């Protein structure tokens, strides 16, 4: 039985293959947002570049996301990045899109205050009671969904590795069903290859 690295390598290879298949689909892309990136992704980051990012922010990126940006690709040609859900995957340099104030390098290392299944009466008041608190601390922006909503990757806190979404309402962020970034990304690719128009 293989170890976690073997499993991750197999998952990354499968995702890369599906991404190639999505980019090869005939005709115009029907998936929402795909016309902005056309299933193209930028070159993978070097290990050194990721280490510099992690050391600067005091975090270790979740292994599957780290593997994706160092082995499959990173960023891309669209206004909001490369091939990915909604309007595409942001570059790691755009990690702070969810920040409501002036993000600093400590923000990613501070635990995200939400967990799957939690119910809030007033998300912002509970998550960020102080004037300088950032409710989306501990998260890295993944993609722009349109209308101001974002998909985020939790990098610090109890929900580390999960994908969540910003939500302007009082109930707070919504976690996706996916256990990790790669599951979320591959679910999007499966929807693309099935000819679906929207991803949720």
């Amino acid at each position: 039985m293989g170890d976690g690295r073997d499993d991750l390598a197999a998952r990354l290879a499968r995702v890369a293959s599906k991404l190639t298949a999505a980019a090869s689909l005939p005709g115009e892309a029907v998936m929402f947002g795909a016309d902005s990136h056309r299933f193209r992704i930028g070159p993978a980051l070097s290990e050194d570049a990721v280490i510099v990012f992690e050391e600067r922010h005091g975090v270790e990126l979740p292994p599957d996301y780290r593997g994706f940006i160092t082995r499959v690709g990173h960023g891309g040609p669209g206004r909001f990045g490369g091939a990915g859900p909604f309007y595409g995957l942001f570059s790691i340099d755009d990690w702070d899109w969810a920040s409501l104030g002036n993000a600093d390098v400590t923000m990613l290392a501070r635990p995200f205050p939400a967990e799957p299944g939690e119910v809030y009466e007033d998300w912002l008041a509970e998550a960020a009671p102080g004037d300088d608190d950032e409710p989306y601390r501990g998260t890295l922006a993944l993609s722009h969904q349109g209308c101001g909503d974002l998909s985020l990757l939790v990098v610090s806190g109890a929900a580390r590795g999960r994908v969540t979404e910003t939500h302007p309402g009082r109930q707070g962020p919504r976690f996706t069903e996916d256990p990790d970034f790669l599951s979320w990304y591959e679910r999007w690719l499966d929807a693309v290859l099935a000819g679906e128009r929207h991803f949720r």
Side-chain angles (χ1 to χ4, degrees):
M1 185 176 210
D3 65 14
R5 288 185 305 265
D6 292 339
D7 293 343
L8 179 56
R11 292 177 72 199
L12 289 167
R14 187 174 66 238
V15 162
S17 176
K18 289 181 180 183
L19 183 54
T20 298
S24 301
L25 288 173
E28 291 296 313
V30 296
M31 176 59 77
F32 170 79
D35 56 342
S36 69
H37 54 72
R38 301 196 180 277
F39 304 104
R40 292 172 294 164
I41 196 162
L45 290 177
S46 68
E47 284 288 334
D48 288 345
V50 174
I51 289 169
V52 167
F53 180 90
E54 290 176 325
E55 289 180 348
R56 180 168 188 255
H57 293 276
V59 295
E60 286 185 22
L61 297 175
D64 63 316
Y65 175 75
R66 194 179 200 283
F68 182 89
I69 63 174
T70 58
R71 295 186 228 171
V72 177
H74 168 258
R79 178 178 171 207
F80 296 109
F86 307 107
Y87 288 109
L89 283 185
F90 283 121
S91 159
I92 200 170
D93 295 328
D94 293 324
W95 65 271
D96 60 347
W97 264 72
S99 173
L100 299 182
N102 293 321
D104 62 46
V105 293
T106 69
M107 196 169 113
L108 287 180
R110 298 187 345 240
F112 184 51
E115 295 180 41
E118 277 191 70
V119 177
Y120 298 91
E121 290 185 21
D122 187 342
W123 155 250
L124 286 177
E126 294 176 55
D131 290 342
D132 295 326
D133 289 343
E134 280 289 346
Y136 295 105
R137 61 192 176 271
T139 66
L140 177 150
L142 288 175
S143 68
H144 199 299
Q145 298 180 5
C147 299
D149 291 328
L150 302 169
S151 295
L152 310 171
L153 178 63
V154 180
V155 296
S156 297
R160 183 177 184 272
R162 294 289 302 270
V163 175
T164 190
E165 299 172 341
T166 60
H167 194 288
R170 295 170 71 88
Q171 66 266 41
R174 184 185 79 84
F175 284 87
T176 70
E177 65 193 44
D178 314 290
D180 58 21
F181 164 81
L182 265 187
S183 298
W184 174 77
Y185 192 85
E186 186 169 12
R187 185 165 62 84
W188 170 73
L189 284 171
D190 288 341
V192 168
L193 294 173
E196 295 178 22
R197 295 180 176 273
H198 296 281
F199 174 67
R200 264 288 156 216

